[in-house]
Amino acid sequence: MDAVRRAARPSRRGVLRAGGGAALAAVAGSAVTGCGAGTDDGVAADGTVTVEMWHGQADTAKKALEGLVADFERSHPKIRVKLGGGVLSDVMLQKVTAALAAGSYPDIAYIFGSDLARVARSPQVVDLTDMVASGPVPWKNYWAASRDAVTLNGRVRAAPAVLDSLAVVCNRKLFREAGLPLPKAGWSWQDFVSCARTLTRSGRGRFGTGWPGTGDEDTVWRLWPLIWDLGGDVVDDDGKNIGFADTGARALQVVADLARDKSVYIDPKPGSEQMYQVFQSGRMGMVVTGPWQLPDIETAGIDYHVVPLPSFSGRPVTISGPDTWTMFDNGDARTEAARTFLSWLARPEQDVRWDIEAGSLPLSRRTEALPAWQDKVARTEGLSVFTKALETARVRPVHPAYPEVSQALGQAVVAVLLGRSTPEEALRACADDANAALLIPR
């Protein structure tokens, strides 16, 4: 989930990184003997341990993390957290891959959830199962999406870092002008397509909705809730085939209907910035997005309404794209210090600060219950819809072949958006490529 947001806030999606998986496979299969410290175990003469953290954040989120680190160091004088990395989260995979190959890597890095399965193949990734089991917040108190996004083969391979969910943000003014009532929870995808058609004014450059059209992860993750709602899955139970061979075409039909009606703005650039700009300029009636977009929508002065995603079944369904803090083994002292820091960071009193200042949803129900978060929800229109969606949110599987499956489905979505293929044709091509990828031993 493996991310889309501007660099000013934590990037959530990110474009699929070509070649990163192959490089990580080489790292996982080789005997990496070096440590990040090399000749430096990170322990000073006075016993102070320095932890290196490649955070991937910029501006607002970076400032929030810096404040948290400063508070941690004041309460833990024998641990120093060095924030660095020199890159934003969108290119962290390449940076970490190269560092693992060179044997000089950080203690903690911000890794997209969709990349975790491949990174975790490295023997240098620290297993955090024991840490979360004995942590200050019971593991079961975390949202299921937080837990599932970092669990691989029953083991916790990273700590949850950022949590989100998808919902639909509507422009109240455009709904009024079109004579449409605002949608409510329980609406259908047929309702969504109908609303988009009615909201569209092609002669005035107005669109009913938008969809990323680059074929990257931002294009794809919006389709998974439709597939899940229809009973499909990303990978079939046998692990050798896609799990949406029977449901993918029906999900893609929604995309085809929007394209047929010319009610969808197709964003041609990675990151969806143009799509969001169209919405924030008052020329789009609905946009499927996450809570990270609300500050920009408020700043643009849009009178908005947030409603859960539509469904086919009437049951609530959405997707969450958590990202992670992944730990790497640089010796016992640094590993223990990094564990201490991540455990402290996950406490509700720290988590709520990160959520409010950097734009995440609460990682656990304990954080959600804090007065500070409840006050934030009361002051932010629609934020409660995104938080409540976590009760039923699902995540993409932590599977090493996921990037190839996503790439194949992304090409199918774009083909349908652009009218180049029918849903059935596009899905057949997707299945051929994705199934071939799933058969590759990993």
Side-chain angles (χ1 to χ4, degrees), residues 47 61 96 165 207 217 287 342:
V96 169
S165 64
F207 298 87
E217 185 59 25
V287 65
L342 288 183

Side-chain angles (χ1 to χ4, degrees), residues 74-154:
R74 278 191 287 271
S75 60
H76 297 75
K78 289 297 184 180
I79 301 177
R80 291 287 176 265
V81 179
K82 178 183 177 183
L83 296 176
V87 298
L88 296 179
S89 52
D90 285 339
V91 292
M92 187 63 75
L93 178 66
Q94 296 96 311
K95 174 101 176 175
V96 169
T97 299
L100 286 169
S104 181
Y105 40 84
D107 301 286
I108 303 168
Y110 186 91
I111 300 294
F112 287 139
S114 56
D115 292 327
L116 178 61
R118 290 187 167 183
V119 175
R121 296 171 68 192
S122 167
Q124 308 307 328
V125 172
V126 178
D127 189 311
L128 300 184
T129 306
D130 292 341
M131 185 186 90
V132 300
S134 60
V137 178
W139 190 229
K140 289 186 177 180
N141 195 258
Y142 284 77
W143 294 107
S146 295
R147 302 193 307 267
D148 293 346
V150 297
T151 302
L152 178 62
N153 297 326

Side-chain angles (χ1 to χ4, degrees), residues 16 215-217 220 224 401-411:
L16 289 175
D216 61 11
E217 185 59 25
V220 171
W224 291 128
Y402 177 80
E404 284 88 354
V405 175
S406 174
Q407 185 177 45
L409 184 56
Q411 293 171 351

Side-chain angles (χ1 to χ4, degrees), residues 147-419:
R147 302 193 307 267
D148 293 346
V150 297
T151 302
L152 178 62
N153 297 326
R155 307 297 296 178
V156 178
R157 305 312 312 273
V162 164
L163 189 63
D164 57 19
S165 64
L166 282 184
V168 180
V169 182
C170 306
N171 183 315
R172 291 177 182 268
K173 178 176 181 289
L174 297 189
F175 269 79
R176 285 195 301 269
E177 290 180 358
L180 288 171
L182 289 169
K184 299 178 181 179
W187 63 321
S188 69
W189 283 107
Q190 183 178 356
D191 295 332
F192 182 89
V193 170
S194 177
C195 284
R197 183 190 310 120
T198 303
L199 289 162
T200 297
R201 298 285 188 274
S202 57
R204 299 167 61 181
R206 182 182 296 175
F207 298 87
T209 190
W211 202 293
T214 58
D216 61 11
E217 185 59 25
D218 197 21
T219 302
V220 171
W221 83 308
R222 286 166 162 76
L223 199 70
W224 291 128
L226 286 75
I227 289 171
W228 291 331
D229 188 36
L230 291 167
D233 210 338
V234 179
V235 181
D236 201 6
D237 290 340
D238 64 9
K240 300 177 181 178
N241 297 278
I242 58 172
F244 52 98
D246 297 329
T247 56
R250 187 177 174 193
L252 283 170
Q253 187 61 51
V254 172
V255 179
D257 291 344
L258 294 170
R260 175 202 62 207
D261 295 341
K262 295 181 171 51
S263 61
V264 58
Y265 174 81
I266 304 170
D267 194 332
K269 295 184 178 181
S272 303
E273 277 305 302
Q274 291 188 182
M275 180 180 76
Y276 292 133
Q277 288 170 6
V278 173
F279 183 83
Q280 288 155 205
S281 68
R283 296 186 293 115
M284 183 181 293
M286 304 179 293
V287 65
V288 177
T289 189
W292 66 82
Q293 206 61 37
L294 294 184
D296 285 346
I297 293 171
E298 290 178 339
T299 299
I302 299 296
D303 183 13
Y304 69 93
H305 166 74
V306 182
V307 64
L309 287 186
S311 71
F312 299 104
S313 65
R315 300 185 300 269
V317 59
T318 190
I319 187 170
S320 180
D323 294 325
T324 78
W325 297 121
T326 301
M327 273 182 54
F328 302 90
D329 185 359
N330 279 305
D332 291 346
R334 289 172 64 172
T335 296
E336 183 59 30
R339 287 178 187 269
T340 300
F341 174 64
L342 288 183
S343 294
W344 178 88
L345 196 62
R347 290 179 179 272
E349 55 268 33
Q350 278 75 249
D351 182 33
V352 75
R353 287 176 55 190
W354 173 250
D355 300 335
I356 292 173
E357 296 176 28
S360 177
L361 294 177
L363 295 178
S364 68
R365 294 176 185 268
R366 285 192 179 181
T367 301
E368 182 199 17
L370 290 179
W373 180 256
Q374 293 300 313
D375 179 63
K376 173 70 173 177
V377 168
R379 292 184 288 106
T380 307
E381 172 70 25
L383 185 56
S384 61
V385 177
F386 291 104
T387 308
K388 183 172 178 55
L390 293 174
E391 296 175 3
T392 55
R394 294 180 59 175
V395 299
R396 294 153 292 185
V398 186
H399 193 292
Y402 177 80
E404 284 88 354
V405 175
S406 174
Q407 185 177 45
L409 184 56
Q411 293 171 351
V413 174
V414 172
V416 172
L417 274 173
L418 299 179

